[in-house]
Amino acid sequence: MQKQVRYGQNRGAMRGTGVLARNARAPQKEPVPFQQLLPLKLKNSVSGKGERTSNVACLQEMAVMFACLKRSEFDQALCSKEITSFQSCYNTSQEQKKAKKELDRSDGPVLGAEARFMGHKKINQLLRKFPQ
Amino acid sequence: ISELGPSRNYSQYAPYFIEPIFKKEKQEELYKSGEIEKISHVPIRAALNDQTSSVFYDEQVRKFTNYVMEMGKKTLARQLVEKTFENVKRTQLERFNTSPTPELKENIETNPLIIFYRAVENCKPLLQLSPIKRGGVTYQVPVPITEKRSNFLAMKWLIEAAQDKERTVHFPEKLAWELLDASSNQGRVVKKKQELHRQCEANRAYAHYRWS
């Protein structure tokens, strides 16, 4: 009779072979033993993955404005409030974009209210100055 | 000033050069308030040839003249715009003098500059359509518009409407009529703006396709 092959034993490249060496049908032993797969060290940079949200600004204001225009048969004089709120929303979003760009370009420390616009770029700039 | 010479895409001036203040009243204001100290040692750009300190100077009209101009013919453009304002004035004066009651007379505006401002204000679109491609289909997405672009579109549409005319009608005449119509919220250009708004409203479902 040929010896039964224990799957996983010949794959030397795999790191978690301890799990595969046991019988897969046996229940898991709690607590699970910790395995250090990556070095336990923080990186000197932040990833920008979660940042690129589709933050489409002013959709709510636009919808409100459209509803008002529809009601008033596209007579702008009756919708001045909604129109001004939409325009001010757009202006503030443009200013925020500008402020973010300025912050990325600037060299000095990030003061109080400016920290709102800090993206991964700016944080990485600061971290690069003081690497661990 | 750049040593490389004129270039189409780049300014002759370094970024720290400031806009000139060529109007006498504004200069006096600066001296009075003491703001002149801040800019007394800052290099200033040269004023353009059509930026004058005249009493009749107007920034909007200067822009409008530039949009009317073709092939660099500034003199002709200026004459056309001046003739347009003259025609506006004449039409309004005629209406004023022939109107029966003083109440009606009050409502008639004879200043062509004010008519021009009102016309541009009434023709300004609130948002524009921008073509955005998703999944092989190009959608017309309603997108917010900046003040400058809105202003530009209003003036451009007025001029385009005035150019669309019969051979026998002169441009200043037609433009005068367009300005008068637009200032009272009627006419082709206002209709065009409203059509754009209607299309934007019809396409409001696609507004999510924007990315900024």
Side-chain angles (χ1 to χ4, degrees):
Chain A
M1 269 242 310
Q2 270 187 327
K3 185 182 180 186
Q4 258 188 326
V5 175
R6 298 277 309 276
Y7 288 104
Q9 280 193 332
N10 290 333
R11 295 172 166 215
M14 277 181 63
R15 286 178 277 179
T17 43
V19 175
L20 292 167
R22 302 192 291 108
N23 183 8
R25 290 181 193 163
Q28 172 179 269
K29 267 195 223 166
E30 292 254 323
V32 176
F34 173 72
Q35 295 168 330
Q36 189 191 291
L37 302 172
L38 291 168
L40 295 178
K41 221 168 64 156
L42 290 172
K43 280 193 284 184
N44 283 327
S45 59
V46 173
S47 105
K49 267 209 284 190
E51 219 175 87
R52 188 140 176 112
T53 52
S54 55
N55 49 352
V56 185
C58 308
L59 277 182
Q60 179 70 15
E61 277 83 0
M62 196 197 274
V64 167
M65 189 179 71
F66 277 144
C68 177
L69 283 175
K70 198 82 191 272
R71 276 201 310 270
S72 70
E73 313 277 318
F74 293 92
D75 185 3
Q76 274 175 247
L78 305 170
C79 289
S80 54
K81 226 203 295 183
E82 283 84 354
I83 291 168
T84 42
S85 78
F86 172 66
Q87 286 171 341
S88 62
C89 167
Y90 181 59
N91 287 336
T92 47
S93 74
Q94 292 293 89
E95 277 165 25
Q96 279 179 357
K97 265 175 106 181
K98 251 194 199 171
K100 184 155 189 241
K101 221 175 180 182
E102 272 306 307
L103 191 64
D104 278 346
R105 288 234 184 101
S106 73
D107 232 2
V110 177
L111 310 167
E114 289 175 338
R116 279 194 294 145
F117 307 126
M118 263 213 293
H120 69 286
K121 264 194 198 160
K122 185 69 189 173
I123 296 176
N124 284 340
Q125 271 176 28
L126 295 169
L127 287 172
R128 249 176 271 140
K129 282 188 177 179
F130 308 101
Q132 301 276 312
Chain B
I1 296 178
S2 164
E3 283 153 354
L4 297 169
S7 171
R8 181 195 267 270
N9 297 322
Y10 299 96
S11 174
Q12 288 261 45
Y13 299 106
Y16 46 80
F17 275 72
I18 59 167
E19 294 290 319
I21 300 134
F22 44 87
K23 292 225 105 181
K24 198 85 182 179
E25 304 90 43
K26 289 213 177 120
Q27 285 175 355
E28 277 168 13
E29 265 176 48
L30 283 179
Y31 276 106
K32 260 193 213 163
S33 65
E35 290 271 319
I36 197 82
E37 312 281 312
K38 292 185 190 170
I39 59 169
S40 55
H41 299 294
V42 180
I44 307 179
R45 294 169 171 236
L48 301 172
N49 273 333
D50 50 352
Q51 285 176 329
T52 59
S53 55
S54 160
V55 178
F56 307 109
Y57 173 79
D58 193 79
E59 182 60 36
Q60 275 265 59
V61 173
R62 186 186 79 83
K63 278 275 168 190
F64 194 62
T65 318
N66 282 341
Y67 298 148
V68 168
M69 174 170 69
E70 277 172 34
M71 302 286 288
K73 294 182 176 180
K74 182 63 83 76
T75 325
L76 178 61
R78 193 175 135 182
Q79 283 169 2
L80 291 172
V81 171
E82 283 178 0
K83 192 75 189 170
T84 305
F85 287 158
E86 188 191 322
N87 286 340
V88 166
K89 181 95 188 193
R90 279 179 189 277
T91 324
Q92 291 297 85
L93 272 179
E94 192 185 328
R95 284 182 190 164
F96 185 88
N97 291 330
T98 55
S99 68
T101 56
E103 288 117 16
L104 287 172
K105 288 198 188 211
E106 264 176 31
N107 292 336
I108 296 173
E109 179 59 57
T110 49
N111 188 353
L113 263 183
I114 293 182
I115 300 239
F116 169 62
Y117 291 148
R118 277 191 204 162
V120 170
E121 190 61 43
N122 288 339
C123 295
K124 277 204 235 185
L126 297 170
L127 55 186
Q128 55 185 342
L129 289 171
S130 128
I132 292 176
K133 231 180 168 182
R134 285 292 149 98
V137 184
T138 312
Y139 299 101
Q140 292 291 331
V141 175
V143 140
I145 199 173
T146 53
E147 173 71 27
K148 273 188 179 177
R149 175 137 178 98
S150 186
N151 219 1
F152 163 72
L153 280 177
M155 289 197 262
K156 180 180 150 187
W157 287 345
L158 282 164
I159 293 164
E160 270 179 9
Q163 284 164 347
D164 185 18
K165 61 179 180 64
E166 288 128 26
R167 268 187 64 247
T168 49
V169 177
H170 290 267
F171 177 83
E173 262 180 65
K174 188 79 202 298
L175 184 54
W177 277 111
E178 294 294 342
L179 287 178
L180 285 166
D181 278 344
S183 69
S184 50
N185 234 330
Q186 294 163 353
R188 293 173 54 178
V189 194
V190 173
K191 192 167 162 214
K192 177 167 182 168
K193 177 198 75 164
Q194 284 174 350
E195 273 300 310
L196 176 63
H197 288 169
R198 267 174 233 272
Q199 252 197 308
C200 287
E201 204 274 331
N203 285 9
R204 67 185 186 279
Y206 300 140
H208 293 270
Y209 289 170
R210 244 198 313 149
W211 56 79
S212 71

